[in-house]
Amino acid sequence: MEAGPRSFESMFGSNQVSTKTSFEEDWRTSEHMTGTSIMATVFKDGVVIGADSRTTTGSYIANRTTDKLTQVADNVYCCRSGSAADTQAIADYVRWYLNLHSLETEEQAEVKVAANLFHKICYANKNFLLAGIIVAGVDSVNGGSVYSIPLGGSLIKEPFSIGGSGSSYIYGYCDSHYKEGMTKEEALHFVRNALALAMSRDGSSGGVIRTVVITKDGTERSMVPGDKVPRFYEGQ
Amino acid sequence: MASIGTGYDLSSTTYSPDGRIFQVEYAHKAVENSGTAIALRVKDGVVFAVEKIVVSKMLEPTSNRRIHTVDSHIGMAISGLVADGRQLVNRGRSEATQYRDFYGIPITGKVLAERISNFIQVYTLYGVVRPFGCAVLVGCVDKKGPQLYMVDPSGSCYGYYGCAIGKGTRAAKTELEKLDLANMTAREAVKQAARIIYSVHDDVKDKSFVLELSWVCEETKNLHQFVPDELKAAAEEEAKAAKDREESGGD
C-alpha cells in the first residue's frame, strides 16, 4: 500500500505542469503500513499462521523484522495487514474484551468470539480503518478455526486464508497445494513456501517468515531467517 | 408475621441492628404468597411447571403467562409479582440478544442468570426504587448441557438440580428431593412436575388454577417450548389421578 498516482505520473512523464515537487518524499509523510503477506491454515491438530516481517512508510522499510502475528488470547492469534497503527489498536481492544469475556464465562474464549469482536470493530469503523485481519486459533468447542476479516469488515470462516498485498500472487499456489487434514510439518511447509513466493514477488513483503503453530496444548513460535527463506525461480 | 422491622424496615437503605434489610425480606414475602413454580434439571434437559392461580372463570387460560422464552434455548418461570417478573424477562431478552450480537455465540445459562441477579441486586441498593417482588427460575440447555438457576429478590443466584419458589415451596421441595433427577428423562420429568404441582396446590385456599408446563431438552432440539398438548393432557390426567389416590388413601 503506497502513495499511488503522484509517483506514477512522475514515472511515465506528464504533460501537466505539476505544482508539487516530483520527488515527494513519501517516507516523510506516509503512515506505517504492513504491506504484507499473511496467511493461516487449519491442520489436523490445530492451526498454523504465518507472516512476512516488512513494515513500510512509503517505499522506506521502517521495520524489516516486524512481528505481525499478535496474540489476543492464550489460544487465539491474529495476522495483521494494512495500517500498522489501526491493526494494533484493534487487536488491543479485542484482547481487552476477550479477557473480560473469559472472566465472566470462567472459560477459555472461543475463536469465533474473537473473530466476531474483530468484525464488529472493523465494520462499525469501516470508513476510518485500513485493516485486513486473519483470526486463527484452537478451542475445545470447534477445534482449529480460521476467520478472515478483509477491508470492509465482513467476516468469513475458511479452512485457510491468505491476506495482504502479497497474497494476490499466491492464490494459485495455495488453491493447488492446500490439503485437508495436514500434519504439522506439511502445514508449516505449505505456509512457508506460500509466503516465500509472495515475498519474492511483492515489493511490500519481505524479510523473515514468522510462524506460530497453535494446538490445544499451546503455541509454538518459529522464524525462518532471510537467507534460509525457500527460493524458487529467480531468472536464469 | 413474626418478624416486624419497627423503624428499620422503611427503606432498602437501612440495615437492622442484626444486619438484615427488611425491605428485601418483605419482597420475599410477595414471592411466598404467589402461585408455586418449580423446575427440574434432568439428564437431557430442563422442565418448568407453574401453578397459575386463576381468580376468574372469564380469564383466557393462556393469557397472563408465567413462563417465558428468553432466548431460543433459555426459559424463565416467574413467581411473585408477575409484572415485576416480566421486566426481568425483558431484561433477560435484551442481555441475551445483545450478547449474541456482540460475541457471536448464544449466551450461556450461568452468564444470563448472573446478569439478571446483578440487575435485581441494584434495586436493593437505593431508597428511590423498590426491590423486585419476584423470584425467577432460569433454565436452559447450552454447550455445557442442561442447567437451572434460581434468582431471588435479593439478587442471590444459585444453581439447582430441582427448585421450587412460591407458596408451595416447602412441600414441593420435599417431593423434589425424593426424585432421582440425574437419571430421569425430560418426558418423565414433565409427568413428575405436573404431579408435584397438583399435589402442592391447596384446594381450600385457592380456587382453581391453570397448569403451565414447558421444557427445553433433546426432544425439542434444545429449544425452549411449551409442552405439546397431548403430553400435557396425559401428564395432567396422571397428576389428578395421583392426587385422588393420595386423598382417598388418607381417609
Side-chain angles (χ1 to χ4, degrees), chain A residues 97 100-101 104-107 110 112-114 116-117 120 141, chain B residues 99-106 108 110-111 114-115 143-144:
Chain A
Y97 280 116
L100 212 50
H101 182 249
E104 190 175 15
T105 57
E106 292 176 9
E107 265 174 29
E110 287 180 43
K112 195 184 202 181
V113 171
N116 203 61
L117 289 168
K120 288 209 80 68
V141 180
Chain B
Y99 186 100
R100 203 186 267 268
D101 173 63
F102 199 70
Y103 294 111
I105 53 172
T108 55
K110 179 171 110 60
V111 172
E114 282 174 5
R115 297 253 178 124
K143 60 182 175 179
K144 299 196 117 167

Side-chain angles (χ1 to χ4, degrees), chain A residues 123-195:
Chain A
Y123 179 69
N125 299 291
K126 60 162 41 207
N127 291 328
F128 309 108
L129 294 171
L130 210 66
I133 294 173
I134 299 177
V135 183
V138 176
D139 61 59
S140 52
V141 180
N142 299 299
S145 328
V146 169
Y147 291 86
S148 178
I149 301 149
L151 250 41
S154 58
L155 173 64
I156 176 158
K157 184 180 194 305
E158 303 178 288
F160 77 93
S161 184
I162 56 178
S165 54
S167 66
S168 330
Y169 308 105
I170 53 171
Y171 277 99
Y173 178 83
C174 290
D175 286 345
S176 56
H177 285 79
Y178 170 74
K179 277 188 345 250
E180 211 183 298
M182 290 184 278
T183 63
K184 184 174 101 167
E185 286 64 39
E186 286 174 330
L188 277 168
H189 191 68
F190 172 54
V191 166
R192 285 176 179 146
N193 276 357
L195 288 175

Side-chain angles (χ1 to χ4, degrees), chain B residues 46-222:
Chain B
V46 178
V47 172
F48 295 92
V50 174
E51 172 203 15
K52 189 168 73 180
I53 295 162
V54 288
V55 292
S56 160
K57 286 207 162 46
M58 297 301 282
L59 275 172
E60 204 269 306
T62 60
S63 73
N64 207 40
R65 285 227 183 271
R66 301 267 298 273
I67 304 179
H68 297 87
T69 303
V70 166
D71 197 0
S72 55
H73 59 302
I74 305 178
M76 201 186 282
I78 308 168
S79 191
L81 300 177
V82 183
D84 284 14
R86 204 138 314 133
Q87 271 285 68
L88 294 180
V89 169
N90 284 337
R91 180 75 189 197
R93 285 176 179 162
S94 259
E95 294 277 4
T97 40
Q98 210 183 51
Y99 186 100
R100 203 186 267 268
D101 173 63
F102 199 70
Y103 294 111
I105 53 172
I107 197 168
T108 55
K110 179 171 110 60
V111 172
L112 178 70
E114 282 174 5
R115 297 253 178 124
I116 289 171
S117 75
N118 286 332
F119 180 69
I120 290 177
Q121 189 273 339
V122 171
Y123 287 76
T124 66
L125 291 171
Y126 307 106
V128 68
V129 291
R130 63 167 175 79
F132 279 89
C134 62
V136 290
L137 295 166
V138 180
C140 73
V141 177
D142 61 31
K143 60 182 175 179
K144 299 196 117 167
Q147 283 160 83
L148 171 62
Y149 299 92
M150 191 274 277
V151 191
D152 71 12
S154 67
S156 312
C157 174
Y158 296 104
Y160 286 93
Y161 291 105
C163 188
I165 48 178
K167 55 173 56 155
T169 299
R170 240 167 252 158
K173 282 208 164 136
T174 320
E175 287 296 316
L176 285 170
E177 279 165 22
K178 292 180 191 161
L179 300 173
D180 177 19
L181 294 168
N183 292 316
M184 205 181 279
T185 62
R187 240 173 205 266
E188 180 54 38
V190 166
K191 303 250 173 85
Q192 293 295 338
R195 181 185 62 79
I196 293 173
I197 291 286
Y198 268 86
S199 102
V200 306
H201 173 71
D202 189 337
D203 293 312
V204 175
K205 289 211 191 113
D206 304 311
K207 282 151 274 182
S208 58
F209 76 101
V210 168
L211 174 68
E212 259 183 56
L213 267 179
S214 78
W215 60 352
V216 48
C217 58
E218 230 176 276
E219 222 181 293
T220 66
K221 299 204 175 47
N222 298 337

